[in-house]
Amino acid sequence: MTMDLDSLVRTVPDFPSPGIVFRDISPLLADPAAFGQCIEALARPWIGQGVQAVCGIESRGFIFGAALAQSLHAGFVPLRKPGKLPPPVSGVDYQLEYGTDRLEARTDALRAGQRVLLVDDVLATGGTLGAARALVQMLGAELVGAVVVIELDALGARAHWPAATPLHSLLHY
Ligand code: AMP
């Protein structure tokens, strides 16, 4: 039986700033059956696809990414906020609504041609996932696809995602 994962995502208006509707996945994580089903559902499209590394985006992408990597018998590689990883690091800057941010990985974290799956909790404007894609490609790996738990459809990120690279979402708001 499939659980109603939606009911375990808490909606918090005006967090962390006015006008933002925050999708809080912590009730889902705290429910062992729901978290297990969530990881199974995230993994399902990628079974047999030869995924060798799962790259999780800091910080909630680490939670799903580590479990997903184990489920797919792949390694886990963290993509981190600037200044967190010891050198040598490679990074990609990207645009936020106000200002810029940056994702970094260890320069030798991925091998040329290694088959990589990206994971994060929420796809909003798509800037973060787009930077993660650029970083994986900059490191020479092959991006097999990306998966998020929640896609915020109204923000239209999917329109800017390359059609040839599968992008799966479990829940849509
Ligand atoms: P974006 O780059 O706009 O797609 O934002 C995605 C990143 O910001 C993800 O790593 C999310 O964890 C976080 N994020 C953006 N919007 C939300 C939201 N409404 N609720 C929870 N997390 C969010």
Side-chain angles (χ1 to χ4, degrees):
M1 200 192 84
T2 306
M3 292 180 71
D4 179 13
L5 298 180
D6 272 287
S7 64
L8 293 168
V9 175
R10 199 165 66 104
T11 296
V12 188
D14 297 319
F15 180 84
S17 44
I20 303 287
V21 181
F22 189 79
R23 306 294 176 175
D24 177 18
I25 45 85
S26 48
L28 191 160
L29 298 176
D31 183 313
F35 188 27
Q37 278 200 12
C38 177
I39 296 303
E40 269 175 39
L42 291 173
R44 203 167 294 131
W46 310 103
I47 293 170
Q49 299 294 309
V51 173
Q52 296 169 305
V54 173
C55 286
I57 299 173
E58 186 165 359
S59 57
R60 290 180 294 273
F62 292 175
I63 302 167
F64 295 100
L68 190 54
Q70 281 287 294
S71 166
L72 292 172
H73 309 291
F76 177 75
V77 173
L79 304 185
R80 302 215 60 181
K81 300 281 168 63
K84 303 282 189 182
L85 288 168
V89 298
S90 299
V92 168
D93 295 305
Y94 62 101
Q95 210 64 39
L96 296 176
E97 193 176 358
Y98 300 104
T100 60
D101 209 340
R102 182 176 169 83
L103 275 182
E104 292 182 343
R106 224 183 59 225
T107 299
D108 60 356
L110 299 172
R111 296 187 305 276
Q114 193 173 9
R115 290 175 63 77
V116 167
L117 176 64
L118 278 174
V119 60
D120 203 1
D121 65 333
V122 172
L123 178 66
T125 65
T128 308
L129 201 64
R133 185 181 73 232
L135 181 53
V136 163
Q137 290 169 339
M138 194 170 105
L139 295 177
E142 182 190 341
L143 185 63
V144 178
V147 65
V148 296
V149 181
I150 295 169
E151 179 172 351
L152 306 180
D153 293 337
L155 296 178
R158 193 169 278 273
H160 306 288
W161 183 262
T165 306
L167 167 61
H168 294 297
S169 314
L170 230 48
L171 307 173
H172 292 263
Y173 288 92

